[in-house]
Amino acid sequence: MSTPRLRFAPSPTGYFHVGNLRTAIFAWLTARQSGGKFCLRIEDTDRERLVLDSIRAILESLSWIGMDLDEGPSLEELKKAGYSCEGVKDMGGDHGPYIQSLRLPRYKEVAELLVEKGYAYRCDCTPERLEEERAAQMARKVPPGYSGYCRDRDVPKDKPHVIRFKIPHGEKIILNDLVRGEIVWENPALRDTVILKSDGFPTYHLASVCDDHDMGITHVFRGEEWIPTTPIHIKEYEALGWEMPQIGHMPQVLGDSGKKLSKREGAVSVDSFREGGYLPEALFNFLALIGWSPGEGEEQEVFTQKELIERFSVKKINKAGGVFSYDKLGWMNGMHIRRLSIEELAKRVKPFLENAGLKVDDKILLEITPHIQERMTVLTEALGLVSFLFVDKIEHELKSMFAKGIDAPKAIEILQMGKQLLNELPTFDVASVEATIRGMVGKFTYPMGAIFMVMRIGVTGKKVTPPLFESIAILGKEKSLHRIDQAIEKLANA
Ligand code: GLU
Protein backbone atom coordinates (compact mmCIF):
# COMPACT_ATOMS: atom_id res chain seq x y z
CA MET A 1 0.00 0.00 0.00
CA SER A 2 1.28 3.46 -0.81
CA THR A 3 2.04 5.84 2.04
CA PRO A 4 -1.21 7.35 3.30
CA ARG A 5 -1.49 11.04 2.58
CA LEU A 6 -4.07 13.07 4.45
CA ARG A 7 -4.87 16.71 4.32
CA PHE A 8 -6.47 19.46 6.27
CA ALA A 9 -8.04 21.96 3.90
CA PRO A 10 -9.43 24.92 5.81
CA SER A 11 -10.99 27.95 4.19
CA PRO A 12 -9.55 31.13 5.68
CA THR A 13 -12.93 32.76 6.04
CA GLY A 14 -12.95 33.64 9.71
CA TYR A 15 -12.15 32.08 13.00
CA PHE A 16 -10.75 28.58 13.32
CA HIS A 17 -13.68 26.51 14.54
CA VAL A 18 -13.34 23.52 16.90
CA GLY A 19 -15.38 21.36 14.51
CA ASN A 20 -12.77 21.83 11.80
CA LEU A 21 -10.00 21.23 14.28
CA ARG A 22 -11.61 17.96 15.40
CA THR A 23 -11.75 16.72 11.78
CA ALA A 24 -8.11 17.74 11.36
CA ILE A 25 -7.23 15.82 14.54
CA PHE A 26 -8.72 12.62 13.13
CA ALA A 27 -6.74 13.07 9.91
CA TRP A 28 -3.54 13.88 11.81
CA LEU A 29 -3.92 10.85 14.10
CA THR A 30 -4.43 8.61 11.08
CA ALA A 31 -1.36 10.03 9.36
CA ARG A 32 0.81 9.73 12.45
CA GLN A 33 -0.20 6.20 13.27
CA SER A 34 0.32 4.94 9.73
CA GLY A 35 3.61 6.68 9.04
CA GLY A 36 1.77 8.75 6.46
CA LYS A 37 1.86 12.44 5.65
CA PHE A 38 -0.32 15.25 6.91
CA CYS A 39 -0.59 18.23 4.60
CA LEU A 40 -2.15 21.63 4.94
CA ARG A 41 -3.91 23.16 1.97
CA ILE A 42 -5.43 26.59 2.09
CA GLU A 43 -8.76 26.76 0.26
CA ASP A 44 -9.03 30.46 -0.41
CA THR A 45 -11.17 30.51 -3.52
CA ASP A 46 -14.11 32.23 -1.83
CA ARG A 47 -12.67 35.71 -2.25
CA GLU A 48 -15.63 37.49 -0.74
CA ARG A 49 -15.37 35.73 2.58
CA LEU A 50 -11.59 35.86 2.82
CA VAL A 51 -10.13 36.96 6.16
CA LEU A 52 -6.46 37.63 5.56
CA ASP A 53 -5.17 36.98 9.04
CA SER A 54 -7.02 33.73 9.57
CA ILE A 55 -4.29 31.65 7.96
CA ARG A 56 -1.82 32.76 10.56
CA ALA A 57 -4.33 31.94 13.29
CA ILE A 58 -4.78 28.44 11.83
CA LEU A 59 -1.04 27.84 11.68
CA GLU A 60 -0.49 29.13 15.19
CA SER A 61 -3.31 27.05 16.60
CA LEU A 62 -2.08 23.86 14.92
CA SER A 63 1.37 24.43 16.28
CA TRP A 64 0.03 25.27 19.77
CA ILE A 65 -1.94 22.05 19.92
CA GLY A 66 1.06 20.03 18.80
CA MET A 67 -0.09 18.98 15.34
CA ASP A 68 2.95 19.12 13.15
CA LEU A 69 2.62 19.34 9.39
CA ASP A 70 4.62 17.47 6.80
CA GLU A 71 3.70 19.73 3.91
CA GLY A 72 2.03 23.07 3.58
CA PRO A 73 2.43 26.57 2.21
CA SER A 74 5.96 27.92 2.16
CA LEU A 75 6.65 31.46 3.31
CA GLU A 76 7.16 32.44 -0.28
CA GLU A 77 3.73 31.12 -1.21
CA LEU A 78 2.09 32.90 1.71
CA LYS A 79 3.72 36.14 0.72
CA LYS A 80 2.83 35.73 -2.93
CA ALA A 81 -0.81 35.07 -2.05
CA GLY A 82 -0.85 38.19 0.12
CA TYR A 83 -1.01 36.63 3.59
CA SER A 84 0.88 37.78 6.63
CA CYS A 85 3.39 35.18 7.67
CA GLU A 86 5.15 36.83 10.57
CA GLY A 87 6.41 34.19 12.99
CA VAL A 88 5.18 31.38 10.75
CA LYS A 89 7.36 28.37 10.04
CA ASP A 90 8.52 27.85 6.47
CA MET A 91 7.05 24.66 5.06
CA GLY A 92 6.59 23.77 1.41
CA GLY A 93 6.73 20.30 -0.08
CA ASP A 94 6.73 18.45 -3.39
CA HIS A 95 3.08 19.05 -4.17
CA GLY A 96 2.84 22.81 -3.95
CA PRO A 97 1.66 25.41 -4.19
CA TYR A 98 -0.53 24.61 -1.18
CA ILE A 99 -2.66 27.72 -1.56
CA GLN A 100 -5.50 27.43 -4.02
CA SER A 101 -5.37 31.02 -5.23
CA LEU A 102 -1.89 30.20 -6.55
CA ARG A 103 -3.14 27.21 -8.51
CA LEU A 104 -5.55 28.94 -10.90
CA PRO A 105 -3.80 27.91 -14.15
CA ARG A 106 -4.10 24.27 -13.13
CA TYR A 107 -7.85 24.56 -12.47
CA LYS A 108 -8.35 26.20 -15.83
CA GLU A 109 -6.39 23.44 -17.50
CA VAL A 110 -8.52 20.73 -15.87
CA ALA A 111 -11.78 22.56 -16.59
CA GLU A 112 -10.79 22.93 -20.25
CA LEU A 113 -9.89 19.25 -20.36
CA LEU A 114 -13.38 18.40 -19.12
CA VAL A 115 -14.90 20.65 -21.80
CA GLU A 116 -12.76 19.02 -24.43
CA LYS A 117 -13.82 15.56 -23.33
CA GLY A 118 -17.49 16.58 -23.38
CA TYR A 119 -18.00 16.40 -19.62
CA ALA A 120 -18.32 20.12 -19.13
CA TYR A 121 -19.43 23.12 -21.14
CA ARG A 122 -19.25 26.88 -21.24
CA CYS A 123 -22.27 28.76 -20.03
CA ASP A 124 -22.89 32.46 -20.56
CA CYS A 125 -26.26 32.72 -18.88
CA THR A 126 -26.69 36.10 -17.26
CA PRO A 127 -27.87 36.40 -13.67
CA GLU A 128 -31.15 37.78 -15.04
CA ARG A 129 -31.70 34.73 -17.23
CA LEU A 130 -30.94 32.42 -14.35
CA GLU A 131 -33.36 34.33 -12.16
CA GLU A 132 -36.12 34.10 -14.79
CA GLU A 133 -35.51 30.38 -15.09
CA ARG A 134 -35.72 30.04 -11.35
CA ALA A 135 -38.94 32.02 -11.09
CA ALA A 136 -40.54 29.90 -13.82
CA GLN A 137 -39.51 26.70 -12.03
CA MET A 138 -40.94 27.96 -8.78
CA ALA A 139 -44.19 28.86 -10.54
CA ARG A 140 -44.36 25.32 -11.96
CA LYS A 141 -43.56 24.02 -8.49
CA VAL A 142 -40.50 22.08 -9.68
CA PRO A 143 -37.25 22.20 -7.67
CA PRO A 144 -35.22 25.21 -8.80
CA GLY A 145 -31.83 24.68 -10.40
CA TYR A 146 -29.97 25.21 -13.61
CA SER A 147 -31.84 23.76 -16.59
CA GLY A 148 -28.82 22.92 -18.70
CA TYR A 149 -29.74 25.66 -21.20
CA CYS A 150 -26.13 26.03 -22.45
CA ARG A 151 -25.33 22.32 -22.65
CA ASP A 152 -25.58 22.28 -26.44
CA ARG A 153 -25.06 25.93 -27.24
CA ASP A 154 -21.34 25.85 -27.87
CA VAL A 155 -20.65 29.18 -26.20
CA PRO A 156 -17.44 30.62 -27.67
CA LYS A 157 -14.34 30.92 -25.50
CA ASP A 158 -13.99 34.68 -25.92
CA LYS A 159 -17.40 35.49 -24.40
CA PRO A 160 -17.52 35.93 -20.62
CA HIS A 161 -18.62 32.56 -19.28
CA VAL A 162 -18.48 30.01 -16.51
CA ILE A 163 -17.73 26.34 -16.99
CA ARG A 164 -20.34 23.86 -15.80
CA PHE A 165 -19.87 20.18 -15.17
CA LYS A 166 -22.53 17.97 -16.75
CA ILE A 167 -24.26 15.88 -14.18
CA PRO A 168 -25.55 12.69 -15.74
CA HIS A 169 -29.24 12.16 -15.10
CA GLY A 170 -30.91 9.04 -13.89
CA GLU A 171 -27.79 7.37 -12.63
CA LYS A 172 -27.29 5.62 -9.33
CA ILE A 173 -24.16 6.83 -7.55
CA ILE A 174 -22.51 4.95 -4.70
CA LEU A 175 -19.90 5.99 -2.15
CA ASN A 176 -18.19 3.62 0.22
CA ASP A 177 -17.70 6.04 3.04
CA LEU A 178 -14.98 5.29 5.58
CA VAL A 179 -17.31 6.20 8.44
CA ARG A 180 -20.81 5.58 7.15
CA GLY A 181 -20.31 2.60 4.88
CA GLU A 182 -22.27 2.56 1.66
CA ILE A 183 -24.15 5.72 0.76
CA VAL A 184 -26.36 5.39 -2.28
CA TRP A 185 -27.83 8.19 -4.35
CA GLU A 186 -30.65 6.87 -6.49
CA ASN A 187 -30.96 9.28 -9.37
CA PRO A 188 -29.78 12.33 -7.46
CA ALA A 189 -31.60 15.50 -8.41
CA LEU A 190 -28.41 17.36 -9.19
CA ARG A 191 -28.02 20.14 -11.70
CA ASP A 192 -25.06 20.99 -13.87
CA THR A 193 -22.68 22.64 -11.48
CA VAL A 194 -20.35 25.58 -11.98
CA ILE A 195 -16.78 24.40 -11.59
CA LEU A 196 -14.96 27.46 -12.94
CA LYS A 197 -16.30 30.95 -12.39
CA SER A 198 -16.07 33.79 -14.90
CA ASP A 199 -13.26 35.41 -12.91
CA GLY A 200 -11.11 32.31 -13.37
CA PHE A 201 -11.56 31.06 -9.82
CA PRO A 202 -12.68 27.49 -9.35
CA THR A 203 -15.51 26.40 -7.09
CA TYR A 204 -14.95 23.88 -4.31
CA HIS A 205 -16.12 21.06 -6.62
CA LEU A 206 -13.26 21.55 -9.02
CA ALA A 207 -10.49 22.77 -6.73
CA SER A 208 -10.95 20.10 -4.10
CA VAL A 209 -11.04 17.19 -6.56
CA CYS A 210 -8.16 18.53 -8.59
CA ASP A 211 -5.95 19.19 -5.57
CA ASP A 212 -6.71 15.95 -3.80
CA HIS A 213 -5.64 14.21 -6.99
CA ASP A 214 -2.58 16.35 -7.69
CA MET A 215 -1.42 16.17 -4.10
CA GLY A 216 -1.72 12.39 -4.03
CA ILE A 217 -4.23 12.45 -1.18
CA THR A 218 -5.25 8.90 -0.30
CA HIS A 219 -7.83 9.64 2.41
CA VAL A 220 -10.16 12.62 2.47
CA PHE A 221 -11.57 13.35 5.90
CA ARG A 222 -14.13 16.10 5.83
CA GLY A 223 -17.18 17.32 7.68
CA GLU A 224 -20.49 15.57 7.05
CA GLU A 225 -21.94 18.77 5.62
CA TRP A 226 -20.03 17.92 2.45
CA ILE A 227 -21.85 14.61 1.86
CA PRO A 228 -24.25 16.10 -0.73
CA THR A 229 -21.31 17.23 -2.89
CA THR A 230 -19.89 13.74 -3.16
CA PRO A 231 -21.89 12.49 -6.17
CA ILE A 232 -20.57 15.43 -8.18
CA HIS A 233 -17.03 14.64 -7.12
CA ILE A 234 -17.41 10.95 -7.92
CA LYS A 235 -18.53 11.82 -11.44
CA GLU A 236 -15.64 14.23 -11.86
CA TYR A 237 -13.11 11.58 -10.85
CA GLU A 238 -14.71 9.23 -13.36
CA ALA A 239 -14.70 11.82 -16.12
CA LEU A 240 -11.05 12.60 -15.54
CA GLY A 241 -10.08 8.95 -15.23
CA TRP A 242 -8.49 9.64 -11.85
CA GLU A 243 -8.40 7.23 -8.98
CA MET A 244 -10.61 8.44 -6.19
CA PRO A 245 -9.21 8.79 -2.69
CA GLN A 246 -11.08 7.08 0.11
CA ILE A 247 -13.56 9.48 1.63
CA GLY A 248 -14.82 9.66 5.20
CA HIS A 249 -17.41 12.14 6.42
CA MET A 250 -16.83 13.00 10.01
CA PRO A 251 -19.62 13.39 12.57
CA GLN A 252 -20.52 16.87 13.69
CA VAL A 253 -19.43 18.57 16.87
CA LEU A 254 -22.74 19.49 18.51
CA GLY A 255 -23.76 21.77 21.32
CA ASP A 256 -25.21 20.61 24.64
CA SER A 257 -28.64 20.96 23.14
CA GLY A 258 -27.74 18.31 20.57
CA LYS A 259 -28.01 20.98 17.88
CA LYS A 260 -25.42 22.99 15.97
CA LEU A 261 -22.77 24.36 18.29
CA SER A 262 -23.55 27.89 19.42
CA LYS A 263 -21.03 30.47 20.61
CA ARG A 264 -21.98 29.93 24.21
CA GLU A 265 -21.47 26.20 23.82
CA GLY A 266 -18.00 26.34 22.31
CA ALA A 267 -18.29 27.68 18.77
CA VAL A 268 -15.48 30.08 19.41
CA SER A 269 -12.06 30.25 17.83
CA VAL A 270 -9.40 27.76 18.80
CA ASP A 271 -7.17 30.58 20.09
CA SER A 272 -9.81 31.59 22.57
CA PHE A 273 -9.28 28.26 24.34
CA ARG A 274 -5.61 29.08 24.68
CA GLU A 275 -6.50 32.50 26.04
CA GLY A 276 -9.05 30.90 28.35
CA GLY A 277 -6.37 28.82 30.06
CA TYR A 278 -7.00 25.43 28.48
CA LEU A 279 -4.01 23.21 27.91
CA PRO A 280 -3.39 22.13 24.33
CA GLU A 281 -3.10 18.51 25.47
CA ALA A 282 -6.52 18.73 27.12
CA LEU A 283 -8.27 20.35 24.15
CA PHE A 284 -6.69 17.78 21.84
CA ASN A 285 -7.74 14.89 24.09
CA PHE A 286 -11.23 16.28 24.53
CA LEU A 287 -11.82 16.87 20.82
CA ALA A 288 -10.40 13.48 19.86
CA LEU A 289 -13.17 11.92 21.95
CA ILE A 290 -15.93 13.81 20.18
CA GLY A 291 -17.26 11.38 17.62
CA TRP A 292 -14.69 8.71 18.42
CA SER A 293 -14.07 6.41 21.34
CA PRO A 294 -11.41 3.82 21.89
CA GLY A 295 -13.93 1.04 22.31
CA GLU A 296 -16.87 -0.23 24.22
CA GLY A 297 -16.30 -0.72 27.91
CA GLU A 298 -13.16 1.42 27.81
CA GLU A 299 -13.21 3.72 30.79
CA GLN A 300 -10.01 5.62 30.28
CA GLU A 301 -10.71 9.11 29.02
CA VAL A 302 -7.53 10.99 29.73
CA PHE A 303 -4.98 10.25 27.05
CA THR A 304 -1.70 11.71 25.94
CA GLN A 305 -1.27 12.55 22.29
CA LYS A 306 1.02 9.55 21.96
CA GLU A 307 -1.58 7.22 23.43
CA LEU A 308 -4.20 8.62 21.10
CA ILE A 309 -1.96 7.97 18.11
CA GLU A 310 -1.68 4.36 19.23
CA ARG A 311 -5.34 3.87 20.05
CA PHE A 312 -7.08 5.82 17.29
CA SER A 313 -9.00 3.85 14.72
CA VAL A 314 -11.08 5.18 11.85
CA LYS A 315 -13.34 2.15 12.24
CA LYS A 316 -14.46 3.41 15.62
CA ILE A 317 -15.51 6.86 14.45
CA ASN A 318 -19.23 7.25 15.14
CA LYS A 319 -21.78 8.24 12.58
CA ALA A 320 -23.69 10.29 15.10
CA GLY A 321 -22.45 13.71 16.16
CA GLY A 322 -20.69 14.18 19.47
CA VAL A 323 -21.43 16.81 22.08
CA PHE A 324 -19.07 19.57 23.06
CA SER A 325 -19.44 20.13 26.79
CA TYR A 326 -17.56 22.82 28.67
CA ASP A 327 -18.01 20.83 31.89
CA LYS A 328 -16.28 17.85 30.43
CA LEU A 329 -13.54 19.96 28.87
CA GLY A 330 -12.95 21.69 32.22
CA TRP A 331 -12.73 18.36 33.99
CA MET A 332 -10.30 17.07 31.42
CA ASN A 333 -8.23 20.22 31.59
CA GLY A 334 -7.97 19.80 35.35
CA MET A 335 -6.82 16.21 34.86
CA HIS A 336 -4.11 17.32 32.44
CA ILE A 337 -3.05 20.16 34.75
CA ARG A 338 -2.47 17.59 37.50
CA ARG A 339 -0.34 15.49 35.17
CA LEU A 340 2.15 18.29 34.53
CA SER A 341 5.36 18.53 36.48
CA ILE A 342 5.57 21.49 38.85
CA GLU A 343 8.19 23.15 36.65
CA GLU A 344 6.05 22.72 33.56
CA LEU A 345 2.90 23.96 35.25
CA ALA A 346 4.72 27.03 36.57
CA LYS A 347 5.95 27.69 33.05
CA ARG A 348 2.42 27.46 31.64
CA VAL A 349 0.92 29.65 34.36
CA LYS A 350 3.53 32.40 34.16
CA PRO A 351 2.33 34.12 30.94
CA PHE A 352 -1.18 34.45 32.36
CA LEU A 353 0.22 36.24 35.39
CA GLU A 354 2.51 38.44 33.34
CA ASN A 355 -0.25 39.34 30.90
CA ALA A 356 -2.22 40.60 33.87
CA GLY A 357 0.67 42.91 34.72
CA LEU A 358 2.23 40.95 37.59
CA LYS A 359 5.98 40.93 38.10
CA VAL A 360 6.56 37.26 38.66
CA ASP A 361 9.38 35.93 40.82
CA ASP A 362 10.18 32.46 39.39
CA LYS A 363 11.33 31.04 42.71
CA ILE A 364 8.15 32.04 44.48
CA LEU A 365 6.02 30.81 41.62
CA LEU A 366 7.72 27.42 41.82
CA GLU A 367 7.10 27.29 45.56
CA ILE A 368 3.39 28.05 45.29
CA THR A 369 2.65 25.95 42.20
CA PRO A 370 2.26 22.59 44.00
CA HIS A 371 -0.38 24.21 46.17
CA ILE A 372 -2.52 25.40 43.29
CA GLN A 373 -2.16 22.41 41.01
CA GLU A 374 -5.15 20.62 42.56
CA ARG A 375 -7.24 23.76 42.67
CA MET A 376 -7.37 24.80 39.06
CA THR A 377 -9.68 23.89 36.22
CA VAL A 378 -8.16 26.41 33.82
CA LEU A 379 -4.81 28.18 34.00
CA THR A 380 -6.44 31.61 34.17
CA GLU A 381 -7.60 30.75 37.69
CA ALA A 382 -4.00 30.93 38.85
CA LEU A 383 -4.21 34.70 38.72
CA GLY A 384 -6.82 34.94 41.46
CA LEU A 385 -5.02 32.37 43.55
CA VAL A 386 -1.46 33.65 43.52
CA SER A 387 -1.56 37.34 42.66
CA PHE A 388 -1.19 38.26 46.37
CA LEU A 389 2.40 37.01 46.13
CA PHE A 390 3.38 39.30 43.28
CA VAL A 391 1.80 42.66 44.08
CA ASP A 392 2.91 45.42 46.42
CA LYS A 393 -0.53 46.42 47.54
CA ILE A 394 -3.55 44.26 48.06
CA GLU A 395 -7.21 44.92 48.51
CA HIS A 396 -8.69 43.16 51.55
CA GLU A 397 -12.06 41.44 51.16
CA LEU A 398 -12.85 42.48 54.72
CA LYS A 399 -16.55 41.70 54.60
CA SER A 400 -15.83 38.02 54.11
CA MET A 401 -14.27 37.96 57.60
CA PHE A 402 -17.60 38.73 59.15
CA ALA A 403 -19.21 35.35 59.62
CA LYS A 404 -19.58 32.93 62.50
CA GLY A 405 -19.86 35.69 65.08
CA ILE A 406 -16.89 37.74 63.90
CA ASP A 407 -17.21 41.52 63.67
CA ALA A 408 -14.55 44.20 63.12
CA PRO A 409 -13.30 44.44 66.77
CA LYS A 410 -13.06 40.66 67.02
CA ALA A 411 -11.24 40.42 63.72
CA ILE A 412 -8.77 43.06 64.94
CA GLU A 413 -8.22 41.06 68.08
CA ILE A 414 -7.44 37.90 66.10
CA LEU A 415 -5.16 39.73 63.69
CA GLN A 416 -3.26 41.41 66.49
CA MET A 417 -2.58 38.14 68.18
CA GLY A 418 -1.61 36.54 64.87
CA LYS A 419 0.78 39.35 64.15
CA GLN A 420 2.42 39.14 67.52
CA LEU A 421 2.86 35.35 67.44
CA LEU A 422 4.11 35.25 63.87
CA ASN A 423 6.52 38.05 64.64
CA GLU A 424 8.06 36.05 67.45
CA LEU A 425 8.85 33.09 65.21
CA PRO A 426 12.59 32.54 64.82
CA THR A 427 12.10 30.53 61.61
CA PHE A 428 9.27 31.35 59.31
CA ASP A 429 8.42 28.10 57.55
CA VAL A 430 5.21 26.18 56.86
CA ALA A 431 5.49 24.02 60.02
CA SER A 432 6.07 26.92 62.39
CA VAL A 433 3.36 29.07 60.77
CA GLU A 434 0.94 26.16 61.01
CA ALA A 435 1.75 25.50 64.69
CA THR A 436 1.32 29.19 65.48
CA ILE A 437 -2.04 29.62 63.79
CA ARG A 438 -3.41 26.34 65.10
CA GLY A 439 -2.22 27.41 68.52
CA MET A 440 -4.38 30.54 68.28
CA VAL A 441 -7.56 28.48 68.12
CA GLY A 442 -7.46 27.56 71.81
CA LYS A 443 -7.04 31.17 72.80
CA PHE A 444 -10.43 32.29 71.44
CA THR A 445 -13.93 30.99 71.65
CA TYR A 446 -14.56 31.47 67.94
CA PRO A 447 -14.54 28.44 65.66
CA MET A 448 -11.32 27.46 63.94
CA GLY A 449 -12.73 28.23 60.47
CA ALA A 450 -13.51 31.81 61.50
CA ILE A 451 -10.00 32.38 62.85
CA PHE A 452 -8.40 30.89 59.77
CA MET A 453 -10.59 33.06 57.52
CA VAL A 454 -9.62 36.25 59.32
CA MET A 455 -5.93 35.34 59.04
CA ARG A 456 -6.33 34.29 55.40
CA ILE A 457 -7.95 37.55 54.39
CA GLY A 458 -5.60 39.53 56.59
CA VAL A 459 -2.52 38.19 54.84
CA THR A 460 -3.66 37.49 51.27
CA GLY A 461 -6.62 39.84 51.02
CA LYS A 462 -8.77 37.05 49.62
CA LYS A 463 -11.23 34.44 50.68
CA VAL A 464 -10.12 31.84 48.17
CA THR A 465 -6.39 31.17 48.22
CA PRO A 466 -3.91 28.33 48.19
CA PRO A 467 -3.61 26.55 51.58
CA LEU A 468 -3.28 29.09 54.38
CA PHE A 469 -0.01 28.08 56.09
CA GLU A 470 1.83 27.64 52.81
CA SER A 471 0.51 30.96 51.54
CA ILE A 472 1.78 32.80 54.62
CA ALA A 473 5.14 31.01 54.70
CA ILE A 474 5.79 31.64 51.00
CA LEU A 475 4.78 35.30 51.24
CA GLY A 476 7.35 35.67 54.05
CA LYS A 477 7.36 37.28 57.46
CA GLU A 478 7.87 40.89 56.56
CA LYS A 479 5.14 41.09 53.95
CA SER A 480 2.71 38.98 55.97
CA LEU A 481 3.05 41.24 59.03
CA HIS A 482 2.77 44.36 56.93
CA ARG A 483 -0.46 43.13 55.36
CA ILE A 484 -1.91 42.21 58.73
CA ASP A 485 -1.14 45.78 59.86
CA GLN A 486 -2.91 47.18 56.84
CA ALA A 487 -5.96 44.98 57.50
CA ILE A 488 -6.10 46.10 61.13
CA GLU A 489 -5.93 49.72 60.06
CA LYS A 490 -8.69 49.29 57.47
CA LEU A 491 -10.87 47.47 59.99
CA ALA A 492 -10.34 50.16 62.57
CA ASN A 493 -11.35 52.87 60.12
CA ALA A 494 -14.22 51.00 58.56
N1 GLU B 1 -12.43 24.19 2.62
C1 GLU B 1 -13.41 23.27 3.11
C2 GLU B 1 -13.82 23.68 4.53
O1 GLU B 1 -13.16 24.49 5.13
C3 GLU B 1 -12.79 21.90 3.15
C4 GLU B 1 -13.67 20.78 2.99
C5 GLU B 1 -12.82 19.56 2.71
O2 GLU B 1 -12.14 19.13 3.63
O3 GLU B 1 -12.82 19.09 1.57
O4 GLU B 1 -14.80 23.23 5.05
Short mmCIF file of all heavy atoms in Angstrom, two decimals, residues 7 9-11 20 41 43 204 208 220-222 225-226, ligand 1:
data_model
loop_
_atom_site.label_atom_id
_atom_site.label_comp_id
_atom_site.label_asym_id
_atom_site.label_seq_id
_atom_site.Cartn_x
_atom_site.Cartn_y
_atom_site.Cartn_z
N ARG A 7 -5.01 15.25 4.39
CA ARG A 7 -4.87 16.71 4.32
C ARG A 7 -5.88 17.38 5.22
O ARG A 7 -6.93 16.81 5.55
CB ARG A 7 -4.95 17.21 2.89
CG ARG A 7 -6.11 16.78 1.98
CD ARG A 7 -7.44 16.93 2.53
NE ARG A 7 -8.50 16.92 1.55
CZ ARG A 7 -9.72 17.40 1.79
NH1 ARG A 7 -10.02 17.86 2.98
NH2 ARG A 7 -10.65 17.37 0.87
N ALA A 9 -7.84 20.97 4.96
CA ALA A 9 -8.04 21.96 3.90
C ALA A 9 -8.96 23.09 4.35
O ALA A 9 -10.06 23.23 3.84
CB ALA A 9 -8.59 21.25 2.66
N PRO A 10 -8.53 23.89 5.30
CA PRO A 10 -9.43 24.92 5.81
C PRO A 10 -9.61 26.08 4.82
O PRO A 10 -8.73 26.35 4.01
CB PRO A 10 -8.71 25.42 7.06
CG PRO A 10 -7.27 25.17 6.79
CD PRO A 10 -7.21 23.92 5.95
N SER A 11 -10.75 26.72 4.93
CA SER A 11 -10.99 27.95 4.19
C SER A 11 -10.73 29.12 5.13
O SER A 11 -11.33 29.15 6.21
CB SER A 11 -12.44 28.02 3.71
OG SER A 11 -12.72 26.91 2.91
N ASN A 20 -13.80 22.06 12.82
CA ASN A 20 -12.77 21.83 11.80
C ASN A 20 -11.51 21.25 12.43
O ASN A 20 -10.86 20.38 11.86
CB ASN A 20 -12.40 23.13 11.09
CG ASN A 20 -13.55 23.63 10.24
OD1 ASN A 20 -14.45 22.88 9.90
ND2 ASN A 20 -13.54 24.91 9.93
N ARG A 41 -3.61 22.46 3.22
CA ARG A 41 -3.91 23.16 1.97
C ARG A 41 -4.88 24.29 2.29
O ARG A 41 -5.87 24.08 2.98
CB ARG A 41 -4.55 22.18 1.00
CG ARG A 41 -4.98 22.83 -0.29
CD ARG A 41 -5.40 21.78 -1.30
NE ARG A 41 -6.74 21.30 -1.10
CZ ARG A 41 -7.10 20.02 -1.15
NH1 ARG A 41 -6.19 19.08 -1.32
NH2 ARG A 41 -8.36 19.68 -1.01
N GLU A 43 -7.71 26.67 1.28
CA GLU A 43 -8.76 26.76 0.26
C GLU A 43 -9.34 28.17 0.26
O GLU A 43 -10.35 28.44 0.90
CB GLU A 43 -9.82 25.68 0.51
CG GLU A 43 -9.20 24.29 0.50
CD GLU A 43 -10.14 23.17 0.10
OE1 GLU A 43 -11.33 23.26 0.42
OE2 GLU A 43 -9.66 22.21 -0.53
N TYR A 204 -15.43 24.98 -5.15
CA TYR A 204 -14.95 23.88 -4.31
C TYR A 204 -14.94 22.56 -5.09
O TYR A 204 -14.00 21.78 -4.99
CB TYR A 204 -15.85 23.78 -3.07
CG TYR A 204 -15.59 22.58 -2.22
CD1 TYR A 204 -14.41 22.47 -1.49
CD2 TYR A 204 -16.53 21.55 -2.13
CE1 TYR A 204 -14.16 21.36 -0.69
CE2 TYR A 204 -16.29 20.45 -1.34
CZ TYR A 204 -15.11 20.34 -0.63
OH TYR A 204 -14.87 19.25 0.15
N SER A 208 -11.19 21.16 -5.08
CA SER A 208 -10.95 20.10 -4.10
C SER A 208 -10.57 18.79 -4.78
O SER A 208 -9.60 18.13 -4.40
CB SER A 208 -12.24 19.96 -3.27
OG SER A 208 -12.25 18.79 -2.57
N VAL A 220 -9.57 11.30 2.24
CA VAL A 220 -10.16 12.62 2.47
C VAL A 220 -11.07 12.52 3.69
O VAL A 220 -12.03 11.76 3.70
CB VAL A 220 -10.99 13.06 1.23
CG1 VAL A 220 -11.82 14.29 1.56
CG2 VAL A 220 -10.07 13.32 0.04
N PHE A 221 -10.69 13.26 4.72
CA PHE A 221 -11.57 13.35 5.90
C PHE A 221 -12.20 14.73 5.85
O PHE A 221 -11.49 15.74 5.83
CB PHE A 221 -10.75 13.26 7.20
CG PHE A 221 -10.28 11.89 7.57
CD1 PHE A 221 -10.27 10.86 6.64
CD2 PHE A 221 -9.86 11.63 8.86
CE1 PHE A 221 -9.82 9.59 6.99
CE2 PHE A 221 -9.41 10.36 9.22
CZ PHE A 221 -9.39 9.34 8.29
N ARG A 222 -13.51 14.78 5.84
CA ARG A 222 -14.13 16.10 5.83
C ARG A 222 -15.45 16.04 6.59
O ARG A 222 -15.98 14.96 6.87
CB ARG A 222 -14.32 16.61 4.41
CG ARG A 222 -15.13 15.71 3.55
CD ARG A 222 -15.22 16.26 2.13
NE ARG A 222 -16.15 15.48 1.34
CZ ARG A 222 -16.44 15.73 0.09
NH1 ARG A 222 -15.87 16.75 -0.53
NH2 ARG A 222 -17.30 14.99 -0.57
N GLU A 225 -21.16 17.82 6.43
CA GLU A 225 -21.94 18.77 5.62
C GLU A 225 -21.56 18.69 4.14
O GLU A 225 -22.26 19.22 3.29
CB GLU A 225 -21.80 20.20 6.17
CG GLU A 225 -20.42 20.84 6.06
CD GLU A 225 -19.47 20.45 7.21
OE1 GLU A 225 -19.74 19.44 7.90
OE2 GLU A 225 -18.45 21.14 7.40
N TRP A 226 -20.46 18.03 3.85
CA TRP A 226 -20.03 17.92 2.45
C TRP A 226 -20.59 16.69 1.76
O TRP A 226 -20.36 16.49 0.57
CB TRP A 226 -18.50 17.91 2.37
CG TRP A 226 -17.90 19.19 2.85
CD1 TRP A 226 -17.25 19.40 4.03
CD2 TRP A 226 -17.94 20.47 2.19
NE1 TRP A 226 -16.88 20.72 4.15
CE2 TRP A 226 -17.29 21.39 3.04
CE3 TRP A 226 -18.46 20.91 0.97
CZ2 TRP A 226 -17.15 22.74 2.70
CZ3 TRP A 226 -18.32 22.25 0.64
CH2 TRP A 226 -17.67 23.14 1.50
N1 GLU B 1 -12.43 24.19 2.62
C1 GLU B 1 -13.41 23.27 3.11
C2 GLU B 1 -13.82 23.68 4.53
O1 GLU B 1 -13.16 24.49 5.13
C3 GLU B 1 -12.79 21.90 3.15
C4 GLU B 1 -13.67 20.78 2.99
C5 GLU B 1 -12.82 19.56 2.71
O2 GLU B 1 -12.14 19.13 3.63
O3 GLU B 1 -12.82 19.09 1.57
O4 GLU B 1 -14.80 23.23 5.05
#
